Amino acid sequence: MRETAIVEAPSVLGLRPTGVEELPAALLDAGLAALPGAVRAGRVEPPSYDPRRDPHTGVLNAAGLAEYAVRLADAVGAVLDAGRFPLVLGGDCSILLGNLLALRRRGRHGLLFLDGHTDFYQPSAEPAGEAASMELALATGRGPRPLTDLEGRGPLLRDEDVAVLGFRDADESAGAGMQPLPPGLYAVGLGGVRAVGAGTAARRALARLAPVPYWVHLDVDVLDDALMPAVDYRLPGGLSWAELTEVLRTALSGGRAVGLDVTIFNPRLDPEGALAARLVRCLLDGLGRAGVGARG
């Protein structure tokens, strides 16, 4: 079993400062720090937020996002080099770029992408220029070069090394002008997950990835909106707590998963802290049942 190292990454450079930046403190205060054997591996502070779209890329905070990705990759890389399992607490979904850059420096890796949205916009179609709606496109090399060619390393991921699970925004996003997911990328929406069961869907998704280590990205809006309303972009439907726990257990067992990030939970929309506590229970269950978090 691997020791978990918690990295705080409170960046909202890809979104806006509405409260998502408070996610690390909220989850740690709700008990995540009690994960057996877990250590704290520092906090990577983002640069100042700029509400103006970059005229060259069409993306908010483009230079800041690139800089932050490099610094977060350094922090995550140090955890990996120590033989630990990084648990990165965002922030918005754009922190995925730094996590994947840490892996790209070390070779070929895959991604299990758990999100209520597919986040495959291009800047020309994304209404506000928010990279948190584009990170999967950017990670696979689609978008402005300053964010798709970090450190000159080209795409952080190959299409065939990505599995997207649980999304439910396909019709809405297509109508808004988001480009379709490429055929080489494995994608199963909420209906497909429900058709076979969460555990089976996760196992099939992982089987479709190349036999390489992979990262797990969790945007909490993959959960049912009735259960997790503390997110900035809400959609009806979503996974149950039990389904998400089963997916995490499946994804984090077996030794191929090398890290996990948690994004988009907004504590300001959870004033009593009940949702933070429930999310922590889900994470502890998923990590613990998969044998992640304890010294071994």
Side-chain angles (χ1 to χ4, degrees):
M1 292 186 287
R2 292 162 290 171
E3 184 180 70
T4 296
I6 298 171
V7 178
E8 298 178 50
S11 172
V12 290
L13 294 173
L15 191 62
R16 56 192 184 280
T18 61
V20 172
E21 63 273 26
E22 298 166 14
L23 182 158
L27 296 192
L28 291 168
D29 290 347
L32 189 58
L35 181 68
V39 299
R40 303 280 286 275
R43 181 179 173 97
V44 183
E45 296 288 354
S48 298
Y49 186 90
D50 187 344
R52 300 167 298 177
R53 292 178 81 147
D54 174 63
H56 302 292
T57 64
V59 179
L60 288 169
N61 299 291
L65 285 163
E67 179 220 321
Y68 191 75
V70 170
R71 291 195 288 114
L72 181 55
D74 292 341
V76 172
V79 171
L80 293 169
D81 290 344
R84 292 171 170 159
F85 182 92
L87 172 56
V88 183
L89 305 179
D92 70 58
C93 290
S94 67
I95 68 162
L96 181 61
L97 298 177
N99 300 327
L100 294 177
L101 178 59
L103 300 185
R104 184 68 183 88
R105 291 171 177 173
R106 289 158 177 79
R108 181 179 175 184
H109 289 77
L111 173 68
L112 178 64
F113 189 84
L114 308 175
D115 199 314
H117 306 81
T118 49
D119 291 351
F120 218 75
Y121 276 97
Q122 286 296 289
S124 58
E126 212 292 321
E130 294 173 349
S133 296
M134 312 176 197
E135 80 278 2
L136 186 56
L138 297 172
T140 56
R142 297 167 174 90
R145 186 170 180 181
L147 295 173
T148 59
D149 194 25
L150 296 167
E151 297 184 333
R153 298 180 186 273
L156 299 175
L157 295 165
R158 306 181 189 186
D159 289 354
E160 62 267 29
D161 293 341
V162 180
V164 180
L165 211 62
F167 61 92
R168 56 189 190 278
D169 70 329
D171 293 339
E172 175 185 293
S173 298
M178 187 177 72
Q179 61 185 332
L181 294 175
L185 187 153
Y186 183 78
V188 178
L190 178 63
V193 173
R194 288 272 164 76
V196 299
T200 297
R203 286 189 290 273
R204 289 180 179 178
L206 297 174
R208 288 292 297 269
L209 297 178
V212 294
Y214 57 82
W215 187 271
V216 181
H217 167 72
L218 171 60
D219 178 335
V220 300
D221 71 19
V222 77
L223 283 159
D224 192 320
D225 183 70
L227 302 173
M228 176 50 73
V231 298
D232 284 30
Y233 289 119
R234 298 176 61 177
L235 282 174
L239 297 178
S240 69
W241 288 111
E243 288 170 327
L244 177 57
T245 300
E246 183 65 19
V247 170
L248 291 175
R249 289 176 187 168
T250 303
L252 299 176
S253 62
R256 284 177 61 203
V258 295
L260 166 69
D261 66 54
V262 184
T263 65
I264 293 299
F265 174 67
N266 188 336
R268 294 184 193 174
L269 303 177
D270 178 34
E272 302 300 320
L275 295 175
R278 185 63 187 87
L279 177 57
V280 164
R281 291 200 302 273
C282 177
L283 293 170
L284 292 176
D285 197 357
L287 289 162
R289 295 291 186 89
V292 177
R295 291 181 177 89

